[in-house]
Structure formats: structure tokens, C-alpha cells
Amino acid sequence: MTSSPFRSRSRRHVETVPKPSVPTARAIVDCAAYVDGARLPGRFTPQTALAEIRSRGTGFVWIGLFEPDSHQMGEIAQVFGLHELAVEDAVTGRQRPKFERYDDTMVTVMRTVGYVEHDMHSVSEIVQTGEIMVFLGADFVVAVRHGEHNELTAVRHRLEAEPDRLALGPGVVLHAIADVVVDSYIDVAQAVEFDVESMEEELFSPRSKIPIEAIYQLKREVVELRRAVRPLAGPLQTLTSPRTPLPKEVRRYLRDVADHHSGVTERINDLDETLTTLVGAAVAKIAVQQNTDMRKISAYIAILAVPTMIAGIYGMNFDTMPELRQPWGYPVTLIVMATICTGLAVVFRRVRWL
């Protein structure tokens, strides 16, 4: 069978069209050079900023990137001499929090989290995750972000308002980023804790609908939060070590961040344990409710069995059943049925089966 000429032309067209190359500037959020804690005036490219700093022999370059592709990240790697393995991780994202050293460059990966407003009973995303990868050299900081919720513009503005701190070097930028990331952990943990408390209050309220699916969803989101937060303990511990080539003052600041991280990690573990307890309580409450429903069903079946049995007996139509020939037989039978059923209903209500 002859193939369609339109289809064959379309296939050849798709194969020959090259993927457009996006300029590196599209991925750059901000690029600045700092000397003695002050930002140098003017606009810089990564090349001109690094050349300016190295010609002066002091200061550092801080460049922020948002979800760069391999071509964009490759150009940045050539300028700052970044290792190809770390560059590949920066492009793909979804890395586990870690700390690595490539010659004179330190690479720190931090997972970021954000709280998503949601309906309590909806099964939807609650914790949004992203990533920040920081390349730290002697005279540069390259921060690569993945995710819409982890902007660093406020961090840059806050540091630029404190030139004395910024004069300590690029390590201060790493501390500021780590600090804002851990603070976001605390904020998200507080929001999730409020959800857990609301879920707990609703679960143990009498005659409330059991939100079992919402509890499972919240449990899954807390697990996701724990996976994002807990692994950062190792990198923070390494960064605070005296063997790390960071100023002593920066290491002190990082120890404070590590303390806050330890606290929020314990808090998330407590939330996880609380949700585990809530899942067990919800399952137990469902079992109790099902047992109550079964008792009600059994009581109604017992009540209905009485008229069914009597009607079945007299439905056999034997000739030797004298009451069948009596004029009072029908009303008496109905009265007996009603009396027995009423008695059973009273008994079942007393024992709270109805």
C-alpha cells in the first residue's frame, strides 16, 4: 500500500528541524559583581563580571540561574570552570541533598519546599518541592534553581543591604541561601502541623465523616517533606567542619542553620508519627462504625424474620390447621406478628442495637 505523501513529508520535516538554541541570558536571573560587600554598578555578563573581579584581585561574582538547559549550563561551566558531573546534575535536577568538592569548587544541593493551599478534604498536592544547587568558588557563587516557589531575589536584596556581611566573601551567600531554605522548612512544617491538628480534631469529633483518604494524602505529603528535609543534615554538618574552606564567622552562622534544621527534622518526624496514629484511629473508627451498622442490620433482619416465619407456616395451607377456618385467624395472626416485632424492637433499642 502506498503511504500518504503528506505523512512522509511531515516525518522528514520533523527529523530535519534542529532544536532551537536558547541564549544563556534567558536562564540568568541576575548577575552581579561585589567588592568589599558593595555591588559594582552597571550590567555584567558572567564573563565580564568574572574578568572584572579577577582584574581587581578582590571580591566575587554572584550569578543566579533558573532551570538552565544543557547548552546554557555548559557556557556557564566554561566561564567558571565547573566540573561536568556537577553540571549534569544541575541540568537534570531532582538531586538528593548533598555536598561535594571538585578541586577548589564546593557544590551543595538543597531541596526546597513550598506549601500549597488546598481544601482539607481534597486529595491534592500539599507540599511542593524544588531544588537549589550552589557552586561555591574562591571568587564566585553560582546558584541554580529548579521550581517556581524558591526565588532568591529577596535574599540578594537583604544581603546587599548588609555590606559588612557580604564583605566576608561568597560563603555568606551560601549561608543566606541555606538559611532561607531551612526557614521555609519551618514554615511548611507549621502549615502542615495545622492541617494535622485540624484533621485530628475532625476525626475525633462525634458523628463526623471519616476523612481516611485525606489522612493518607497528608501522610504521603509528610513523607515527601521528610525526604526533602532530612538528608540536608549531612551537608550542613560538613559545611560547619573546620576542614571546610569557609571563614570561621560563616561556619558559626551555618551551625545556627544546622540547629534549626535539627529542630524542624524532629518536628516532621513527630508529624509523621501523629499521622500514623491517626491512620490507626481512623481504621479503628471505621471498624466500630461497620460493627454498629452490622448490629443494626442484624436487628432489622431478626424483626423481619418473625412475620416471615409466621407467614411461611400458614402459607403451607394444611387442612388440619383449624385456625385457618376461623374468622378471627387473620386479625389475630397480624396482632401476634406486630406484638412480637414491637417487643424485639424495644429489646434491641434497650441494648442500643437500634
Side-chain angles (χ1 to χ4, degrees):
M1 182 177 64
T2 304
S3 61
S4 170
F6 174 78
R7 184 178 302 173
S8 62
R9 283 198 300 269
S10 176
R11 186 181 297 115
R12 287 197 299 269
H13 178 72
V14 172
E15 291 175 354
T16 56
V17 172
K19 184 178 180 180
S21 178
V22 180
T24 304
R26 295 283 296 275
I28 297 177
V29 179
D30 199 355
C31 178
Y34 298 89
V35 175
D36 295 331
R39 179 169 180 162
L40 297 181
R43 297 174 62 90
F44 292 93
T45 65
Q47 295 87 345
T48 58
L50 189 61
E52 178 68 22
I53 289 300
R54 290 183 175 175
S55 66
R56 291 172 176 259
T58 183
F60 66 93
V61 177
W62 180 2
I63 178 173
L65 301 172
F66 178 69
E67 297 183 355
D69 58 24
S70 57
H71 171 73
Q72 296 165 341
M73 197 64 205
E75 290 190 357
I76 298 298
Q78 289 180 357
V79 175
F80 294 98
L82 307 180
H83 196 278
E84 58 181 357
L85 293 178
V87 170
E88 182 180 355
D89 292 342
V91 173
T92 57
R94 304 297 298 178
Q95 300 296 314
R96 184 179 176 87
K98 60 183 179 179
F99 172 84
E100 295 178 340
R101 292 193 64 177
Y102 297 93
D103 298 328
D104 295 332
T105 302
M106 295 185 293
V107 180
T108 306
V109 180
M110 292 171 278
R111 299 289 294 168
T112 61
V113 297
Y115 181 77
V116 180
E117 296 293 339
H118 62 284
D119 183 9
M120 180 66 67
H121 296 283
S122 65
V123 180
S124 59
E125 185 181 30
I126 300 173
V127 177
Q128 187 180 33
T129 60
E131 178 184 307
I132 296 179
M133 192 170 188
V134 181
F135 296 84
L136 185 66
D139 54 4
F140 66 86
V141 179
V142 178
V144 183
R145 296 191 297 114
H146 290 270
E148 298 286 348
H149 62 279
N150 51 9
E151 291 188 1
L152 298 176
T153 304
V155 177
R156 187 184 291 268
H157 291 167
R158 186 167 62 249
L159 284 179
E160 290 178 352
E162 302 178 25
D164 292 339
R165 282 187 58 194
L166 205 54
L168 294 175
V172 174
V173 177
L174 175 61
H175 160 261
I177 295 175
D179 187 43
V180 74
V181 168
V182 173
D183 285 346
S184 69
Y185 293 165
I186 297 174
D187 294 338
V188 172
Q190 288 177 344
V192 174
E193 185 176 10
F194 178 77
D195 287 342
V196 173
E197 291 175 352
S198 300
M199 195 77 69
E200 185 177 11
E201 181 179 355
E202 182 174 356
L203 177 63
F204 291 106
S205 298
R207 298 179 182 179
S208 62
K209 183 180 179 181
I210 302 174
I212 186 66
E213 292 186 358
I215 294 177
Y216 278 123
Q217 172 69 9
L218 194 55
K219 171 75 172 177
R220 189 187 71 83
E221 294 297 311
V222 168
V223 171
E224 179 74 13
L225 178 62
R226 186 181 61 190
R227 289 176 178 174
V229 172
R230 187 168 61 180
L232 187 58
L236 289 176
Q237 188 68 28
T238 303
L239 288 171
T240 57
S241 172
R243 295 190 298 270
T244 304
L246 290 174
K248 184 177 181 181
E249 190 69 19
V250 173
R251 294 201 307 270
R252 288 176 178 174
Y253 284 125
L254 286 171
R255 277 196 292 270
D256 182 67
V257 174
D259 290 340
H260 292 170
H261 179 268
S262 299
V264 73
T265 300
E266 294 177 359
R267 194 171 188 175
I268 293 172
N269 290 335
D270 292 341
L271 290 177
D272 190 29
E273 294 177 1
T274 301
L275 283 171
T276 301
T277 303
L278 288 183
V279 169
V283 172
K285 189 173 182 179
I286 291 174
V288 171
Q289 184 174 346
Q290 289 177 342
N291 186 33
T292 302
D293 294 339
M294 288 301 298
R295 288 190 299 179
K296 290 182 178 180
I297 293 172
S298 300
Y300 285 120
I301 291 175
I303 293 173
L304 294 175
V306 172
T308 302
M309 179 188 65
I310 295 175
I313 293 174
Y314 285 100
M316 294 185 290
N317 295 324
F318 288 116
D319 291 337
T320 57
M321 300 175 71
E323 57 270 23
L324 294 177
R325 307 296 181 182
Q326 300 298 328
W328 47 264
Y330 179 69
V332 169
T333 302
L334 293 179
I335 292 173
V336 171
M337 290 181 182
T339 302
I340 297 176
C341 290
T342 302
L344 288 175
V346 171
V347 172
F348 286 135
R349 283 188 178 275
R350 286 181 178 179
V351 297
R352 295 184 179 179
W353 279 38
L354 290 177

